[in-house]
Amino acid sequence: MGIVGIGQGGGGMLPVMATMPQLELVAGADINPVTRERFQARYPLARVYATSTELCSDPEVEAVWVSSPNRFHCEHAVEAMQRGKHVVVEKPMAISLDEADRMIASARSNGVNLVAGHTNSFELHIRAMRKVINSGRLGRLRAVHVWSYTDWMLRGRTPDELNPDEGGGIPWRQGPHQIDVVRLLGGGLLRSIRGTTGDWLRERRIAGYHSAFMEFQDGATASILHNGYGYFLTAELFPWALERQRYSAAQRSEIRRQIRSGTRDEESEKQAYRIGGAREAVRRTGTPTTAEPAAWSPADLGMVLLTCERGDIRNSKYGLYVYGDDGLLEIPLAGTWGIGMLEHRGELEELYNSVVLGKPLYHSGEWGAATLEACIGMMRSAREHWEVQLERQVAMAEDYDAELELPDSQPVAEPPAAG
């Protein structure tokens, strides 16, 4: 396995790769010399390259994780596939449908697999929600709501992240997460989308807000919202999640002051969160060893609430609450967070299962292009003020996650008052 782009997102995948005996990390490429040096120090047996071309020319690299800036996703994915490499590409898959088509065509013509990955739809609690829906115990799914308030706009940003033409802004960076989750839970076949975006911070001329209403072909509906300006945080509704936030309220106020005065050191902040940096994110690398398992957090995706014909579903601290005619039940998920269910391990497992074991590829280029179509449709709707009809949607196969088994539900008298 090789990785192109060892930034904050790509760097976060490295510990996940290290937990998988099916994979061997043999190479990494990044244009940043400090990042390359830190990558080499942590993975001394891996080869380090300054360009994607060098990495894709390495005969020992069989698959490439593409986590370069959004504007390069198509270029780097096609380059890898033309050299016979399988590819997992981060969200958004591309910044145009024409680019997505090039990527799909390249995968077909070169006989390799293309996985549209690095979205929250691979996380266990979302997949568990889908299992409950598909069981039919609550009747048909009728509505999906995903709402998030974060500090996304206050985080350190590179110039491309502040350019909407290069895939910068909340709709490009966070829209794919929410829309991919909505599509997975609803079966994939959206009919239309009506969206709005907000650009409210003069010093950062990218959209820091989006909201959208979607309708599925079967009549179910969905709404998404992400406000990244960092005044109110969704985590405040789940007190156990507050300690996992990047900044305190006082720090967020100071960051706004720095942004408005032009004194924010963006590059230093970004580097601190990259591999080997002083604030590098701590990731799960196996079964929790503390007495208390890791609790669910809304993180950037936000809170997810599902409405079915005969009940509702939402997250609990350690699993899912299922509200139905038999009362409130909880499906505990904490005990299943071990190896095999790590965040974003699902993409790598799906690639391995398809390439080595001959199993179906579910999150294909076509699936990624359908999510991209809805993201672009949301932004187009915001500009033109009308509902956009979607024409490239694909269904998720019914047998996806057939091997995933959920723990038995446990009765709950009533949910805790806090959260």
Side-chain angles (χ1 to χ4, degrees):
M1 195 86 195
I3 182 168
V4 173
I6 315 170
Q8 191 171 338
M13 285 303 305
L14 297 174
V16 182
M17 294 178 183
T19 67
M20 297 186 65
Q22 308 98 313
L23 303 179
E24 180 183 2
L25 179 64
V26 298
D30 200 282
I31 62 172
N32 187 313
V34 174
T35 297
R36 291 199 303 272
E37 180 180 342
R38 292 176 177 177
F39 173 82
Q40 185 73 88
R42 184 167 299 177
Y43 302 97
L45 299 181
R47 292 175 292 284
V48 185
Y49 300 109
T51 68
S52 61
T53 300
E54 293 173 294
L55 182 141
C56 292
S57 299
D58 187 329
E60 292 191 24
V61 173
E62 297 177 298
V64 177
W65 180 282
V66 175
S67 52
S68 49
N70 294 343
R71 69 186 187 279
F72 294 127
H73 283 184
C74 175
E75 175 186 334
H76 291 161
V78 170
E79 181 177 47
M81 291 186 287
Q82 287 176 340
R83 287 166 172 77
K85 319 295 186 184
H86 305 285
V87 167
V88 181
V89 62
E90 290 201 359
K91 55 75 196 169
M93 176 181 175
I95 58 174
S96 74
L97 288 174
D98 286 342
E99 287 187 342
D101 286 340
R102 285 181 54 203
M103 296 162 72
I104 293 169
S106 183
R108 290 175 180 169
S109 63
N110 292 289
V112 295
N113 287 348
L114 172 63
V115 178
H118 208 263
T119 65
N120 290 115
S121 65
F122 285 91
E123 293 180 4
L124 175 60
H125 68 106
I126 299 300
R127 295 159 71 173
M129 287 178 174
R130 179 180 177 273
K131 294 287 283 190
V132 176
I133 293 167
N134 289 356
S135 73
R137 60 197 279 189
L138 298 180
R140 295 185 302 162
L141 177 69
R142 295 290 80 198
V144 183
H145 304 292
V146 187
W147 303 317
S148 183
Y149 282 76
T150 71
D151 56 16
W152 194 92
M153 287 288 286
L154 304 183
R155 302 171 195 172
R157 296 295 168 200
T158 54
D160 61 288
E161 292 179 283
L162 297 173
N163 186 342
D165 294 331
E166 296 182 3
I170 287 282
W172 277 117
R173 302 295 295 276
Q174 293 299 315
H177 282 301
Q178 293 186 324
I179 290 174
D180 216 60
V181 164
V182 163
R183 292 188 58 243
L184 180 71
L185 294 173
L189 297 176
L190 290 173
R191 173 186 289 129
S192 64
I193 187 167
R194 175 69 171 92
T196 59
T197 61
D199 170 7
W200 305 325
L201 183 58
R202 291 193 303 273
E203 295 78 12
R204 294 200 151 178
R205 299 327 304 251
I206 52 174
Y209 170 91
H210 69 235
S211 63
F213 176 83
M214 289 161 274
E215 186 176 6
F216 285 94
Q217 292 181 14
D218 67 356
T221 63
S223 67
I224 63 172
L225 180 151
H226 193 132
N227 182 319
Y229 288 104
Y231 293 100
F232 164 74
L233 302 181
T234 308
E236 293 177 28
L237 303 178
F238 307 94
W240 65 82
L242 276 176
E243 63 182 24
R244 296 176 60 179
Q245 301 310 299
R246 183 175 302 211
Y247 309 116
S248 67
Q251 288 172 326
R252 298 199 301 272
S253 294
E254 173 60 18
I255 290 169
R256 289 191 199 93
R257 186 195 65 77
Q258 292 175 1
I259 290 174
R260 287 171 176 149
S261 65
T263 59
R264 183 79 182 285
D265 187 349
E266 303 277 357
E267 179 56 32
S268 295
E269 166 107 2
K270 288 291 288 188
Q271 199 64 35
Y273 280 94
R274 292 173 180 147
I275 185 171
R279 304 188 70 182
E280 182 182 4
V282 176
R283 307 262 177 175
R284 287 190 297 271
T285 57
T287 304
T289 57
T290 58
E292 184 176 5
W296 167 82
S297 169
D300 284 347
L301 175 66
M303 57 184 293
V304 181
L305 177 62
L306 309 183
T307 293
C308 298
E309 292 173 319
R310 298 193 300 274
D312 300 308
I313 309 169
R314 73 172 177 96
N315 287 98
S316 65
K317 186 174 183 179
Y318 298 114
L320 300 180
Y321 282 138
V322 180
Y323 302 77
D325 292 333
D326 296 329
L328 175 59
L329 302 175
E330 183 174 15
I331 300 176
L333 298 178
T336 59
W337 274 115
I339 298 298
M341 285 298 173
L342 298 174
E343 182 180 8
H344 301 311
R345 179 165 170 148
E347 295 93 321
L348 294 170
E349 289 183 331
E350 187 168 313
L351 177 67
Y352 177 84
N353 290 341
S354 179
V355 172
V356 178
L357 304 181
K359 294 185 177 182
L361 186 68
Y362 298 101
H363 293 83
S364 62
E366 288 82 359
W367 175 269
T371 293
L372 179 63
E373 179 195 29
C375 290
I376 292 173
M378 174 176 66
M379 291 181 274
R380 177 186 171 191
S381 175
R383 292 192 306 271
E384 300 178 2
H385 306 290
W386 65 299
E387 184 179 26
V388 173
Q389 302 300 309
L390 302 175
E391 301 174 348
R392 302 187 48 163
Q393 299 298 291
V394 296
M396 175 54 69
E398 292 185 6
D399 65 346
Y400 174 62
D401 266 342
E403 298 176 357
L404 175 62
E405 296 184 3
L406 301 182
D408 293 334
S409 303
Q410 306 294 326
V412 179
E414 60 181 76

